[in-house]
Amino acid sequence: MMKIPHILCAAAFCFPAVLYAQITSDSEIMKIAGKSISKGEFEYTYHKNIQQQSEKTPLDEYVTLFENYKIKVAEAEAQGIDTTHQFRSEYEGYRRQLVKPYMVDKTAEETLAREAYQRLLEEVEASHILFRVAPEASWAEKKKVYQKALEIRERAVAGEDFAALARQYSEDPSAQTNNGYLGYFGGFYMVYPFEKAAYETPVGEVSMPIESQFGYHLIKVTGRRPSRALLLAHIMLKVPQGASEKNWEAREKEAKTLYEKIQKGEDFAALAKQYSEDFSSSGEGGQLPWLSTGQIIPSFEKAAFALNEIGEVSAPVRTEFGWHIIKLLDVRTPDSYDKMRDLIVRRMARDERADAGRKMFVENLKEEKNFAWNDTIIYQLEKSITDTVALKSLMQKSEPLFSFAGKAYPVSGLVSYMDSDNAATLSISAVRKAADKYVEEVMEEYQIAELNRTDADFRYLLQEYHDGMLLFEVSNSEVWSKAMEDEKGLQKYFRKNKKKYTWDTPRYKGYIISGDDEKKVAEVKALLSDSNMPSDTLITRVYRQYNDSIRHIKIEKGLYQKGVNVTVDRLAIQVELPDTTAAEWPVSELCGKVLNRPETYEDVKGLVISDYQNYLEQKWVRKLRKKYPVSVQKEVLATVKPVEE
């Protein structure tokens, strides 16, 4: 017998290892209905499904289940279900929902939370000038307002008085009385674009025009201070509204006298109890709740926040309510970031930061892929907004509305995002929203394509959605609905398999008749026994005949097992029980029979339908297996990773 050389033996034993080394997630693991299935897709669905099971399905059994799943999908595609408008619309919705979590900058929340925390540590003092912009303003109109704001900024930077400019130009009505002065504010007090600009503008400087939902703002920052919450006490001497200056001076003199007493060491709390006319706090020695910036009137706040040492007392301070002497009792500063993070994130969810992760991702993608609007077309759109004919003509053109990732997207694409039949009633804001929606969906499509190319899990999940929808539709038409609607098939299946449907205990099937008169109940029982009329019609007839403004008869119909109904237990199943219905219905009778086993399929309808569906499915799968060939690459299947416990 000839011996095989050792080197050939080694090669023979190494061959499987070399073969397995060449197998990747992209390798074909099986072919079903002419369609190649990758090892990666099979492994993804196998692991996902098995991990959800308490008793793990063996791999060989799962392979059969997977094959059955895929041949049903192949049948759905053969029937054209994937081409219907309903399927395409629903699947499109799934795709767009699925991509949304992938279009969020994962670092945005943490970045913004830390930014917000830093702003909660410091407050900004600022004034502003508002230039309003209507929501429906065109790009040209917005540009005009921006240009005006820029001109006023140049005057302010050149040295003109900001307060005077605010009184003259600001469209914030309060500017006429407060000169645009906003006082101190912290994080989350203003809309986010305004807050951001205020914190990023150095003290003494004026910001560039900043856009918010109200329009454009110029912001002049005049101060910064550490954020503090103050525990204060005060003594208030009231001055009536409309009082003369002489009255104010008299009350000031009293306040100064009290201040001198405090300076000489008299107890502040005792004086507050005796003299303060703020009766909500005087009983507590003048103590107020913890107060932060923005919670008290500006003149009081300014004096209170000027106090720096615990126990320090202000000289008399005038407010619109009278004279106050203020004492600083305690100071509280913000907690650490770790302690405040959850609160900050909750507050972020209620302002413009909520969508920041998505916006940041989109803006980065736009920049990365050279997004650009076609300003010429945008100008023409705005110009044509009230001209139906011109607008329709423009929206049929192939000129680009914008470009993205090296591709131009025509203005005609706007048609599917706006009602062009009613173009005359459209506003510029409606056109802008349609354009934004157009851009959003283009970017979503781009991201879906990128994820399909680069992210296997996304690709498999999208395929799972697609196939799952097809599986539901084809199974519903071929099995589930068919079984429920096939009355003759259900009856035939029940008769053929009658022996397997049994009950542990007898059941009563029929009517329960309750009434207030023995004769009437007997008449109803006779009527129910003799009539071939449908039960619902019959019960309606009985109620019409025997019940008037007073209810004399009650009828229930059903299939009852022991313990469900007291009357049935007592009269049919012969259980000795007290008649608890006697008070309301003195007379009770049954019209039906006791069954030891189901009489018709309707007696066990739920079970029969379920079994009949299984029968139809098995029959259907056998048919599909003959129709669609299946081949499995066993050497690839052997490399499938087992599910970890």
Side-chain angles (χ1 to χ4, degrees):
M1 182 175 175
M2 184 179 176
K3 291 185 178 180
I4 300 174
H6 291 299
I7 190 166
L8 293 181
C9 284
F13 281 108
C14 288
F15 177 72
V18 172
L19 178 64
Y20 289 160
Q22 294 173 345
I23 294 171
T24 69
S25 61
D26 292 329
S27 298
E28 181 183 288
I29 197 168
M30 61 183 73
K31 185 170 282 186
I32 299 176
K35 186 177 289 187
S36 179
I37 310 295
S38 72
K39 175 193 170 186
E41 182 186 349
F42 175 83
E43 212 165 46
Y44 169 84
T45 58
Y46 172 57
H47 288 172
K48 184 173 181 179
N49 283 284
I50 297 304
Q51 284 170 349
Q52 295 170 355
Q53 297 175 358
S54 54
E55 294 185 13
K56 311 301 183 190
T57 303
L59 179 59
D60 58 340
E61 291 182 25
Y62 185 81
V63 169
T64 302
L65 294 173
F66 185 82
E67 291 169 357
N68 292 344
Y69 163 58
K70 284 293 187 179
I71 60 176
K72 291 173 188 175
V73 171
E75 176 64 13
E77 290 174 335
Q79 292 181 16
I81 294 174
D82 58 332
T83 65
T84 63
H85 174 74
Q86 180 181 344
F87 176 86
R88 286 182 299 178
S89 177
E90 190 174 344
Y91 179 58
E92 181 65 19
Y94 272 127
R95 289 171 77 247
R96 298 210 176 282
Q97 284 301 315
L98 191 59
V99 78
K100 288 186 187 301
Y102 291 84
M103 295 187 69
V104 175
D105 189 310
K106 302 298 183 185
T107 66
E109 182 180 279
E110 185 63 21
T111 300
L112 289 170
R114 289 191 177 277
E115 175 193 77
Y117 177 70
Q118 291 302 316
R119 290 175 183 171
L120 289 172
L121 297 178
E122 185 180 45
E123 295 170 347
V124 174
E125 182 185 39
S127 301
H128 84 133
I129 300 172
L130 171 65
F131 304 87
R132 290 196 180 276
V133 177
E136 65 277 6
S138 67
W139 278 278
E141 289 168 334
K142 288 180 71 175
K143 188 175 179 181
K144 185 178 179 181
V145 175
Y146 180 87
Q147 193 61 42
K148 179 182 177 182
L150 209 56
E151 291 169 3
I152 302 303
R153 179 184 182 274
E154 289 172 2
R155 290 169 59 180
V157 170
E160 284 196 48
D161 182 53
F162 194 87
L165 291 171
R167 287 194 303 274
Q168 184 175 358
Y169 295 105
S170 182
E171 294 176 74
D172 179 349
S174 66
Q176 297 306 311
T177 54
N178 65 13
N179 299 322
Y181 180 69
L182 300 170
Y184 278 92
F185 55 86
F188 296 105
Y189 276 89
M190 303 294 181
V191 293
Y192 181 65
F194 191 100
E195 173 196 302
K196 181 175 173 64
Y199 273 91
E200 292 177 357
T201 300
V203 173
E205 294 189 13
V206 180
S207 72
M208 291 293 287
I210 302 301
E211 186 178 10
S212 78
Q213 65 203 64
F214 305 105
Y216 287 105
H217 307 259
L218 294 178
I219 305 170
K220 182 172 184 179
V221 176
T222 50
R224 291 177 186 272
R225 69 185 183 198
S227 295
R228 300 182 297 162
L230 306 181
L231 185 63
L232 304 167
H234 78 141
I235 299 170
M236 181 173 79
L237 301 181
K238 288 183 178 178
V239 178
Q241 192 173 7
S244 65
E245 195 58 35
K246 187 176 180 181
N247 195 327
W248 277 96
E249 290 172 1
R251 298 248 73 186
E252 181 184 16
K253 189 175 180 181
E254 293 177 45
K256 285 181 176 179
T257 301
L258 289 173
Y259 178 66
E260 288 171 4
K261 288 182 178 183
I262 294 165
Q263 294 296 99
K264 290 176 181 178
E266 290 197 36
D267 184 62
F268 188 97
L271 291 172
K273 288 180 181 179
Q274 184 176 358
Y275 294 105
S276 180
E277 294 170 355
D278 175 7
F279 301 113
S280 64
S281 68
S282 60
E284 301 297 322
Q287 184 172 318
L288 300 168
W290 282 95
L291 297 169
S292 301
T293 297
Q295 293 184 305
I296 37 182
I297 55 177
S299 50
F300 188 100
E301 179 185 299
K302 185 175 181 180
F305 277 85
L307 302 173
N308 294 307
E309 302 294 330
I310 304 298
E312 187 178 353
V313 178
S314 73
V317 176
R318 179 172 174 169
T319 73
E320 58 198 88
F321 302 107
W323 291 96
H324 307 257
I325 303 169
I326 307 168
K327 182 178 182 179
L328 179 60
L329 301 178
D330 201 357
V331 175
R332 197 159 60 193
T333 56
D335 279 333
S336 68
Y337 174 73
D338 289 341
K339 289 183 178 179
M340 293 189 66
R341 188 184 186 284
D342 289 347
L343 174 63
I344 289 170
V345 170
R346 287 198 297 273
R347 293 183 73 177
M348 282 168 52
R350 298 196 294 267
D351 74 2
E352 293 176 61
R353 295 170 178 86
D355 199 31
R358 180 175 173 82
K359 287 178 180 175
M360 195 174 292
F361 180 92
V362 168
E363 290 308 312
N364 289 340
L365 187 59
K366 281 182 176 180
E367 185 175 351
E368 181 186 336
K369 299 300 175 183
N370 301 312
F371 175 90
W373 289 106
N374 182 344
D375 292 336
T376 303
I377 287 292
I378 286 171
Y379 174 76
Q380 290 176 12
L381 275 171
E382 290 181 346
K383 191 176 179 182
S384 313
I385 195 67
T386 57
D387 186 336
T388 306
V389 175
L391 185 59
K392 283 186 176 181
S393 173
L394 181 60
M395 290 175 64
Q396 291 170 0
K397 291 185 176 181
S398 59
E399 280 104 330
L401 176 65
F402 60 90
S403 58
F404 171 71
K407 182 179 177 181
Y409 292 86
V411 68
S412 57
L414 268 179
V415 173
S416 53
Y417 300 99
M418 56 196 296
D419 185 3
S420 57
D421 291 334
N422 295 317
T425 64
L426 286 174
S427 64
I428 287 171
S429 61
V431 175
R432 190 177 295 138
K433 284 179 183 177
D436 288 342
K437 184 68 175 173
Y438 186 9
V439 171
E440 179 184 340
E441 295 202 0
V442 163
M443 297 189 80
E444 285 177 353
E445 281 299 325
Y446 174 85
Q447 191 62 11
I448 289 169
E450 282 296 291
L451 288 167
N452 256 322
R453 184 176 62 83
T454 62
D455 190 317
D457 282 351
F458 179 86
R459 182 166 63 251
Y460 301 147
L461 183 56
L462 195 59
Q463 188 68 44
E464 184 182 356
Y465 269 117
H466 176 273
D467 291 354
M469 289 172 60
L470 289 177
L471 177 69
F472 176 84
E473 292 298 332
V474 75
S475 297
N476 189 49
S477 63
E478 295 291 334
V479 176
W480 305 331
S481 294
K482 181 181 286 187
M484 294 182 72
E485 295 165 4
D486 185 5
E487 198 77 19
K488 289 182 178 178
L490 287 167
Q491 291 172 354
K492 183 179 178 181
Y493 184 84
F494 174 75
R495 287 195 300 269
K496 188 176 180 180
N497 299 276
K498 196 171 184 179
K499 288 182 180 180
K500 77 174 185 177
Y501 298 107
T502 59
W503 294 324
D504 294 335
T505 58
R507 305 198 180 185
Y508 168 73
K509 181 180 179 181
Y511 298 99
I512 305 170
I513 310 161
S514 304
D516 58 6
D517 181 84
E518 191 172 332
K519 182 181 177 182
K520 290 177 182 175
V521 169
E523 289 174 356
V524 170
K525 182 177 180 179
L527 186 61
L528 294 175
S529 300
D530 297 339
S531 178
N532 293 320
M533 199 178 292
S535 60
D536 290 345
T537 306
L538 188 56
I539 291 171
T540 302
R541 177 181 166 184
V542 168
Y543 280 177
R544 191 181 298 120
Q545 181 176 340
Y546 286 90
N547 292 338
D548 42 39
S549 58
I550 298 174
R551 196 176 181 201
H552 299 285
I553 293 290
K554 183 180 78 167
I555 302 173
E556 297 177 54
K557 181 176 184 278
L559 182 67
Y560 303 88
Q561 64 186 90
K562 182 180 176 181
V564 171
N565 185 280
V566 173
T567 301
V568 169
D569 288 351
R570 187 168 52 83
L571 298 179
I573 304 178
Q574 305 299 313
V575 177
E576 291 188 12
L577 291 171
D579 187 358
T580 57
T581 62
E584 184 181 3
W585 302 104
V587 183
S588 293
E589 285 281 0
L590 301 180
C591 179
K593 52 188 169 182
V594 175
L595 303 175
N596 290 314
R597 60 186 304 139
E599 188 177 43
T600 70
Y601 93 89
E602 291 183 337
D603 297 338
V604 278
K605 189 172 184 178
L607 281 174
V608 175
I609 289 175
S610 178
D611 291 346
Y612 188 48
Q613 286 175 337
N614 290 334
Y615 164 75
L616 289 179
E617 175 150 0
Q618 291 166 12
K619 184 179 175 183
W620 181 45
V621 168
R622 287 195 297 271
K623 179 182 175 183
L624 293 180
R625 279 194 168 272
K626 291 178 181 177
K627 183 176 181 181
Y628 298 108
V630 175
S631 62
V632 178
Q633 308 300 326
K634 292 184 179 179
E635 70 278 6
V636 180
L637 182 62
T639 67
V640 169
K641 294 177 183 177
V643 177
E644 295 179 2
E645 293 293 338

